[in-house]
Amino acid sequence: MNEVQTYRTLENKSSLIFAVNEMAKNGYRLVQISADKKEDYDLLYSFAKANELVNLRLRVEADEQIESISGIYSYSYLYENELKDLFGLDILHINVDFKGNLYHTQVKTPFLNKA
Amino acid sequence: MFSMVKTVLLSMFKRPSTVSYPQKAKINDPLVRGQVTIAIEACIFCGICGRKCPTNAIEISKAEAFWQIERFNCIQCGCCAEVCPKKCLAMSSELTGASAEQRKDKYSRA
Amino acid sequence: MGKRTIVPFGPQHPVLPEPIHLDLALEDETVIEAIPSIGFVHRGLEKLVEKKDFQEYTYVAERICGICSFMHGMGYCMAVENIMSLTVPDRAEFLRTIWAELSRIHSHLLWLGLLADSIGFESLFMHCWRMREQILDLFDMTTGGRVIFSVCKIGGVRKDIDEEKLKRIVDVLNNIEDELRSLTSVFLEEQSIKGRLSGVGVLSQADAFGLGAVGPMARASGIVTDTRTLGYSAYPHVKFNIITAQEGDCFARTKVRIEEIFEAISIIRQCAALIPSDTLIAEPVKGLPKGEYFARLEQPRGEVIYYVKANGTKFLDRMRVRTPTFANLPALLQTLKGSELADVPVLVLTIDPCISCTER
């Protein structure tokens, strides 16, 4: 394995856009955005370039809103809509906002509560 | 053009690639995971298979000494046969036949 | 300005074995916008990790998708193994590589058949699937299942392939290689296929990168990317080329996939020659996982990501799968814009969509 994985924790949500912008400038591609919900959301933004994988970690309060990064990575809208539909995370200003209609699930936001 | 003629001729004289199934039985490799079989005399009803089963298809009762499987809940992963301490469970290469109803097979030690 | 209409495409459609719905906004016959909606086969498998023992979950992970089932199990196992710092025995790594590449051959043959079917070339479809059947028989013979192998486990593999069977695999592949050569000439030289596919759904290199395309979709647009070069499993021991094409149209995607089959055959041959002859195929699992890891591996459709977060109990905190089809959706929507309605089925097919992967 010659893969290098790094994790970086962002202090607050206002530094997210700046950090993501930096990744875009350095030629990284967005690999995925994932969330884990306990008391608050634990978001992971992953970026890859060659054999590098950089993960930006962001903690968001349960009722907090965050900015979309779709202004920087236009294809992030799918991941962000997914978070919105499955976790009920409120993401503002997504370039293509499905408003909860991407996933047709029987239960709304099925991943919101831990079993 | 000629390659096409070749393909056509080959297809005309070759045996079919398919097996005409119900008339001719398909012989499975002994490795094929068809269904779970149990040698009930050797079973100690420990219940490990039931706990490990990913679909909870197996039900065991130590008191009543029976071992029961829901045939169509079983996903033929072979997990139970692997964890069985007495090795009384095995995967046979014979498949579960189709059925319109749920099929429960109950084995008990008489 | 022509007449505007909205045509629903899917969830049930003859070219799609799986349900995805697209709303196509048309101007006369030209698509101006495509809006996807998914979730018809959402099973919440990511949520299930909270209720299933992490070792049992391997069986569930394999059932995310029926085509690349082995690689799903392998990706999940790789992630957990890395968290637990388990070293997989060399022989198991080679066996995994052989099965993974066989899966690639079978997936690409299946796709070639579907493509032939979608452009109305029925006999070619039959020929592709006849060849694919031989690969499925190999799976049957070596793992005990045609589609779901249940052969990967944390720490290694559950079944060994003996010398005789390895020889048989290589023999069958030699056979398939010959047959495939004649089919390749049909796919790449036949005028009707060329006419149907070239110039359709062009995805430029800049767009492919800018929309995050992965796998054959990106490679057909001239991006050199292949997760296998990260050197997981037995890939550092074998030589292989990354197949790329420059045109970025449906024809280029076909070409890339056909050549990848030959490449996969060559990888399996090398593996069969290099495989170490020790008997250890699985390392025992001790303790419980704690930590997090991203496993990245190359599926037939592109890069798949397995994120596992473990908290030191036997239930995992979170598992996330980012499948290649999900990453390729934005690129698909881009190529759909401006295409003819009649081309839509072919375009949807050339990303090799796997919807049950996408929704998990």
Side-chain angles (χ1 to χ4, degrees), chain A residues 36-48:
Chain A
D36 183 23
K37 169 87 167 45
K38 272 198 180 139
E39 287 84 46
D40 47 2
Y41 291 98
D42 180 16
L43 299 181
L44 267 180
Y45 292 73
S46 311
F47 302 87

Side-chain angles (χ1 to χ4, degrees), chain C residues 188 243 245 247 250-260:
Chain C
L188 299 183
I243 312 287
E247 299 85 355
C250 290
F251 189 68
R253 277 165 231 149
T254 316
K255 208 160 69 185
V256 166
R257 287 198 175 99
I258 289 181
E259 304 217 338
E260 275 182 12

Side-chain angles (χ1 to χ4, degrees), chain C residues 219-267:
Chain C
R219 289 198 281 273
S221 298
I223 297 179
V224 186
T225 161
D226 194 323
T227 326
R228 285 177 287 178
T229 54
L230 290 179
Y232 62 89
S233 211
Y235 289 109
H237 306 287
V238 294
K239 283 197 190 73
F240 60 93
N241 299 323
I242 302 173
I243 312 287
T244 53
Q246 297 305 323
E247 299 85 355
D249 55 1
C250 290
F251 189 68
R253 277 165 231 149
T254 316
K255 208 160 69 185
V256 166
R257 287 198 175 99
I258 289 181
E259 304 217 338
E260 275 182 12
I261 301 179
F262 288 116
E263 212 53 44
I265 293 177
S266 128
I267 292 178

Side-chain angles (χ1 to χ4, degrees), chain A residues 1-3 5 29 31-36 38 42 55 57 75 77 82 98 102 104 113-114, chain C residues 36 38-39 42 47 210-211 230-232 292-294 296 303 305 307 309 317-318 320 322 333 360:
Chain A
M1 284 295 260
N2 50 11
E3 197 188 4
Q5 292 192 3
R29 74 191 160 85
V31 167
Q32 64 95 30
I33 307 173
S34 83
D36 183 23
K38 272 198 180 139
D42 180 16
N55 302 298
R57 165 162 277 140
Y75 53 100
Y77 68 86
E82 190 190 22
F98 287 85
L102 178 66
H104 289 269
N113 298 311
K114 282 267 166 186
Chain C
I38 54 178
H42 176 76
K47 191 82 178 155
L211 293 167
L230 290 179
Y232 62 89
E292 56 186 343
Y293 190 78
F294 275 93
R296 290 202 284 164
E303 174 198 52
I305 302 229
Y307 169 67
K309 184 172 168 195
D317 244 5
R318 172 98 169 106
R320 193 226 196 295
R322 202 296 320 272
L333 300 179
R360 308 161 307 274

Side-chain angles (χ1 to χ4, degrees), chain B residues 17 31 33 54 75 78 82, chain C residues 52 63 130 144 148-149 158:
Chain B
S17 313
L31 214 61
R33 304 185 310 271
I75 51 170
E82 195 171 82
Chain C
K52 284 265 170 249
R63 282 161 175 81
R130 178 174 52 79
I148 309 279
F149 309 161
R158 292 166 79 202

Side-chain angles (χ1 to χ4, degrees), chain C residues 119-130:
Chain C
I119 58 180
F121 203 149
E122 290 284 336
S123 62
L124 192 55
F125 158 69
M126 294 286 184
H127 278 292
C128 289
W129 281 41
R130 178 174 52 79

Side-chain angles (χ1 to χ4, degrees), chain A:
Chain A
M1 284 295 260
N2 50 11
E3 197 188 4
V4 188
Q5 292 192 3
T6 48
Y7 292 85
R8 220 167 76 208
T9 308
L10 302 172
E11 296 100 55
N12 54 38
K13 57 180 184 176
S14 54
S15 58
L16 172 73
I17 301 292
F18 181 76
V20 171
N21 217 346
E22 199 82 324
M23 301 311 285
K25 244 188 264 162
N26 292 331
Y28 284 80
R29 74 191 160 85
L30 177 71
V31 167
Q32 64 95 30
I33 307 173
S34 83
D36 183 23
K37 169 87 167 45
K38 272 198 180 139
E39 287 84 46
D40 47 2
Y41 291 98
D42 180 16
L43 299 181
L44 267 180
Y45 292 73
S46 311
F47 302 87
K49 188 171 133 184
N51 63 346
E52 245 185 291
L53 188 76
V54 180
N55 302 298
L56 303 180
R57 165 162 277 140
L58 179 68
R59 286 199 189 278
V60 179
E61 298 285 316
D63 51 353
E64 225 175 340
Q65 294 177 319
I66 59 162
E67 274 301 309
S68 157
I69 60 162
S70 57
I72 305 158
Y73 286 96
S74 65
Y75 53 100
S76 74
Y77 68 86
L78 269 181
Y79 301 106
E80 285 171 342
N81 277 298
E82 190 190 22
L83 291 184
K84 220 172 172 171
D85 289 7
L86 297 183
F87 285 93
L89 182 65
D90 206 353
I91 300 175
L92 299 170
H93 309 126
I94 310 178
N95 57 359
V96 185
D97 197 340
F98 287 85
K99 302 206 189 296
N101 290 318
L102 178 66
Y103 274 83
H104 289 269
T105 47
Q106 212 161 33
V107 186
K108 285 279 163 216
T109 62
F111 288 8
L112 184 61
N113 298 311
K114 282 267 166 186

